[in-house]
Amino acid sequence: MTLLDRHIAYFHWEIMDQEFLKIVRCPVTNSPLEYADESTLASLNHKIENGKLFNRVGQLVESKITSGLVNADRTLLLPIRGGIAIMVVDQAIVLDA
């Protein structure tokens, strides 16, 4: 793959990514989603390091969160693992108010 091909593929992904965010909705609140900011991810990862982060069904979250989608009222985060948004309600993480 040439450098030009990589740039075209990246540009295509950016367009697809924007289209995805236009149509995807939170499975709990049905509100739009956006990417979690760095401070939210850092706060969650600090809790993971201390063994204090649980998902909606009370399971301990042990893997670092590198990306996620947050609902409009910023009450839930849906983790992204391996480039795939985990849209399973039970895997959502309740965010502090």
Side-chain angles (χ1 to χ4, degrees), residues 26-87:
C26 174
V28 177
T29 64
N30 199 34
S31 66
L33 295 168
E34 63 182 38
Y35 284 103
D37 59 45
E38 290 298 319
S39 65
T40 299
L41 296 174
S43 174
L44 293 175
N45 285 320
H46 180 72
K47 289 180 181 181
I48 290 169
E49 289 172 8
N50 292 310
K52 296 182 179 180
L53 186 68
F54 300 88
N55 62 22
R56 286 189 76 218
V57 295
Q59 295 171 325
L60 182 65
V61 178
E62 299 182 54
S63 299
K64 181 180 177 180
I65 299 171
T66 57
S67 187
L69 299 172
V70 179
N71 65 348
D73 58 2
R74 304 193 56 76
T75 57
L76 294 172
L77 177 129
L78 299 160
I80 296 175
R81 303 246 185 244
I84 299 170
I86 309 301
M87 304 297 288

